[in-house]
Amino acid sequence: MDAAQLEAQQPLPGSLSWKLSSHPITLLTFLAFRISSIAVYFFGLWVTSSMTMIFIITILLLAADFYYLKNIAGRRLVGLRWWNEVDPATGDSKWVFESSEPGIKVINATDSRFFWLAMYVQPALWVAMAILAIARLNVLWLPLVFIALALTIMNTLAFSRCDKFSQASNLAGSALGTTSLAGSIASNMVGRWFRG
C-alpha cells in the first residue's frame, strides 16, 4: 500500500471521527452523557414498566451531563467555560464567560464540530420528545421533558454567548495587539459587554 492510498484512508481533519479528537476520552464521555439521557427516556418503557425509575435515571443523567459539559467538556474540547455569579450586596445575578487564550490552546476542528453539533441537536431532540408526549397525551412525561429542555437550552445559550464573547475578545485583542496594554484593556472592555 503506497502513501497516497494510506492517506486516502485517513479521515480528514475536522471530520466526525472520534479518532481525530485531541481529547477522545472527554469527547466520548460527553457524547455518552448527551445520548444516554435521551436513550433512557425514549427506550426506557420497553425495558421496564417503572415510570419512576426512568424519571430518576433520566434526571440523574441530565444533571451529570449538565455538570460535565459546563465544567469539563466545554473547557477541554472548545476552550470555553461559563458560570453564574451573584453579587452578595445587591443580589444581582450575572453570567461570566471564560475562554482560553487564542495562542495558548489550539482547538481541534473535530472536537469543535462534535461539541457544537451535540449542543444544538440535543435540545432539538427534546423538543421532538415534547411534541411526541403531547401527541400521545402522555402528560405525566411533560415535567421530565421540560426539565431536560431547561437544562439543555441553558447550556446551549450559555456556551453560544461564551463563544461570541471569546470571538469578540480575540478580535479586540488582535486589533490592538495582545501584548500591549491597549489590547488587554480592549479585551476586558469587550468582555464586560457580554457579561449578563
Side-chain angles (χ1 to χ4, degrees):
M1 188 177 279
D2 65 355
Q5 288 176 333
L6 184 61
E7 192 172 303
Q9 291 178 349
Q10 297 285 338
L12 296 172
S15 62
L16 291 176
S17 171
W18 66 271
K19 294 176 183 178
L20 296 175
S21 174
S22 296
H23 306 285
I25 301 220
T26 303
L27 178 65
L28 292 175
T29 305
F30 163 66
L31 293 174
F33 279 133
R34 300 301 273 186
I35 294 168
S36 63
S37 60
I38 292 173
V40 167
Y41 172 80
F42 192 72
F43 298 114
L45 285 178
W46 293 346
V47 176
T48 180
S49 61
S50 174
M51 181 182 161
T52 307
M53 182 64 77
I54 295 168
F55 193 95
I56 291 170
I57 291 172
T58 304
I59 289 290
L60 290 174
L61 288 170
L62 285 166
D65 172 53
F66 185 86
Y67 176 83
Y68 189 79
L69 172 60
K70 182 177 163 305
N71 295 308
I72 298 167
R75 189 173 58 217
R76 294 197 75 194
L77 297 177
V78 290
L80 301 173
R81 191 169 151 229
W82 69 272
W83 64 92
N84 193 351
E85 286 183 355
V86 177
D87 185 1
T90 63
D92 291 336
S93 174
K94 66 178 179 178
W95 286 13
V96 180
F97 304 111
E98 179 181 277
S99 64
S100 60
E101 292 294 323
I104 296 174
K105 180 172 174 75
V106 176
I107 305 301
N108 182 317
T110 297
D111 290 340
S112 181
R113 285 191 68 199
F114 267 117
F115 181 84
W116 291 112
L117 187 64
M119 286 298 292
Y120 292 110
V121 167
Q122 190 183 30
L125 288 174
W126 281 112
V127 167
M129 298 297 174
I131 292 168
L132 189 63
I134 291 169
R136 291 179 157 185
L137 300 175
N138 289 337
V139 197
L140 293 175
W141 289 105
L142 285 178
L144 176 60
V145 173
F146 289 147
I147 291 169
L149 278 171
L151 291 173
T152 57
I153 289 173
M154 166 87 74
N155 252 339
T156 302
L157 288 175
F159 274 106
S160 295
R161 287 186 70 190
C162 190
D163 186 46
K164 287 180 184 175
F165 158 76
S166 171
Q167 291 174 6
S169 292
N170 292 343
L171 181 64
S174 65
L176 295 173
T178 54
T179 57
S180 70
L181 179 61
S184 176
I185 291 170
S187 293
N188 289 335
M189 286 179 65
V190 170
R192 286 192 189 122
W193 291 338
F194 285 95
R195 290 184 185 208

